[in-house]
Amino acid sequence: MLDLTVAERQKAERGVEEKKVAVHGAATVRFERRHGETRLATLYHHDPLRVLLPTPRRDDLPIAVLATTSGGMVGGDRMDIDLSVGPDARALVTTQAAEKVYRSTGADCRIDTRVSVEPGGWLEWLPQEAIVFEGSRLRRLTRLELSGDARLIAGEMLVFGRAAFGETVTRGLIRDAWEVTRDGRLVWADALHLDEDVGEALNHPAGFAGAGACATLLHAAPDAAARLDAVRALADSLDQQARVGATAFDGLLVIRILGGDARAVRRAYAALWSGLRAEAAGLPTRLPRLWEV
C-alpha cells in the first residue's frame, strides 16, 4: 500500500465526509376523507426525514409532524416534501423543531415542498422556523396547488443567525420562493433572493433594517379577502416588536412579518396563524403542542 502525504490523506478524508453528509431526504403525506372522517391515506419517508403522527387535541384536525433526524442541513443536502389532502379532507402538518442550515463550503441546500389541496379540502402547512447560519446556502421553494374551492393556510419563517451566540449573517445565499396555483393557473409567485453580501440587504434601512427574522403567512380561499380586516385588527393587537403587513387579492391573503427579535416574529406568526384558522375554518384558536415546547 502506498503511503499518502498529509495533504492527500486530508483530501481523501474530506471526500469521504462530503459523500457521507450529502443526503436526499423525502416525505410524502396524504389525507383522504373516508367513512365520514379524515384518515391517513399515504405515508412515505426517507432518511433523514421522518413523519410522526401524534394524537390530535380534542376537536382538532388530524396532524402529521415532520422531523429531520440528521440535526440540520449542510451544503449539498436536499429535502423533498409532498403534502396533500383529498376532497373534503382536513389536516394539519407541521415540523418537530426549527430547521438548522449550517455553513456551506460551496454547495447549496435545497428544500422543495409541494402542497396540494383538492375541492372542499383544508390543509395547514406551518413548519417551525429555519435558522440560517453565517455562510449557509439555502434554496427553498414552496409550491401550493389548489383545485376548485380548496382552502389552506401555509407559512414559512426565516431566522438570520444564532442571536444567542451573537452571530450575524453577512454572507451566503438565501433564496425563499413561493408559487401558488388554482386549477392550474398561476395566482402568485414571489421570491426573496439574497446572495453573497447578505449582510448589506439585512442591515440596509430600505431592506430588512437589521431584522433578526422574517415570516410569510398565506391563506388561500375563494373568500380570503373577507379575512383581511380581521387579520389587520389582530396584527394591531400584537407585540409591536414585530411589524406586520397584510394584503389580499385574487383569492389569496398574504401576511408579512418582520422583526429584530426572532422570538417576537415567532409569537406574531403563531398568533396570526391560530387566529386565522379560527376565523376562516372555525377551528380552535390554539397551536399544536410542539409549538408550546
Side-chain angles (χ1 to χ4, degrees):
M1 181 176 179
L2 296 177
D3 291 334
L4 299 177
T5 65
V6 173
E8 289 172 333
R9 189 181 305 112
Q10 290 176 342
K11 182 177 180 180
E13 289 172 351
R14 283 198 302 270
V16 170
E17 183 181 0
E18 288 172 0
K19 291 179 182 178
K20 179 180 178 181
V21 298
V23 299
H24 190 166
T28 300
V29 182
R30 177 174 174 80
F31 290 92
E32 294 181 356
R33 189 167 180 82
R34 298 174 180 173
H35 308 294
E37 294 184 359
T38 296
R39 301 177 184 274
L40 180 68
T42 302
L43 175 61
Y44 169 81
H45 49 206
H46 182 276
D47 286 339
L49 276 177
R50 283 286 182 269
V51 180
L52 310 176
L53 299 166
T55 301
R57 290 182 171 185
R58 183 185 297 272
D59 301 323
D60 215 329
L61 301 180
I63 180 172
V65 178
L66 303 185
T68 305
T69 59
S70 60
M73 301 183 70
V74 299
D77 286 358
R78 177 167 181 167
M79 304 291 182
D80 289 328
I81 301 167
D82 194 327
L83 312 172
S84 63
V85 294
D88 301 318
R90 304 202 307 169
L92 184 155
V93 185
T94 186
T95 57
Q96 185 182 38
E99 186 69 81
K100 294 179 282 295
V101 186
Y102 297 106
R103 180 178 62 86
S104 171
T105 57
D108 298 343
C109 297
R110 294 190 61 93
I111 304 176
D112 290 340
T113 304
R114 173 183 172 270
V115 180
S116 176
V117 187
E118 297 177 25
W122 168 273
L123 180 61
E124 296 173 65
W125 164 235
L126 276 300
Q128 300 197 47
E129 62 269 30
I131 305 172
V132 291
F133 288 33
E134 166 71 350
S136 63
R137 298 186 62 83
L138 172 65
R139 291 182 180 272
R140 182 167 66 180
L141 171 63
T142 304
R143 181 175 176 83
L144 312 178
E145 301 174 354
L146 300 105
S147 301
D149 59 352
R151 300 179 300 155
L152 65 75
I153 298 177
E156 297 281 9
M157 179 175 167
L158 285 169
V159 177
F160 307 118
R162 297 166 292 175
F165 290 88
E167 181 183 64
T168 58
V169 177
T170 63
R171 60 185 178 83
L173 170 69
I174 302 172
R175 181 174 177 81
D176 200 11
W178 290 87
E179 294 179 1
V180 183
T181 67
R182 185 176 292 274
D183 296 326
R185 181 179 68 88
L186 183 65
V187 176
W188 185 65
D190 179 77
L192 166 67
H193 188 93
L194 305 176
D195 197 1
E196 297 302 334
D197 189 3
V198 174
E200 181 181 1
L202 293 181
N203 293 315
H204 198 286
F208 285 77
C214 69
T216 298
L217 191 64
L218 303 179
H219 172 47
D223 61 347
R227 315 298 173 195
L228 181 58
D229 290 342
V231 166
R232 286 176 171 171
L234 178 57
D236 289 341
S237 69
L238 298 178
D239 186 344
Q240 295 304 305
Q241 286 184 288
R243 292 180 289 161
V244 180
T247 188
F249 54 90
D250 205 3
L252 189 66
L253 173 61
V254 181
I255 306 168
R256 304 284 201 184
I257 310 168
L258 189 68
D261 180 19
R263 292 170 297 181
V265 173
R266 178 184 166 92
R267 287 194 297 268
Y269 178 76
L272 289 162
W273 168 23
S274 58
L276 185 55
R277 73 193 306 258
E279 173 73 20
L283 293 166
T285 310
R286 63 190 180 202
L287 304 177
R289 290 187 181 91
L290 287 167
W291 279 74
E292 299 171 358
V293 175

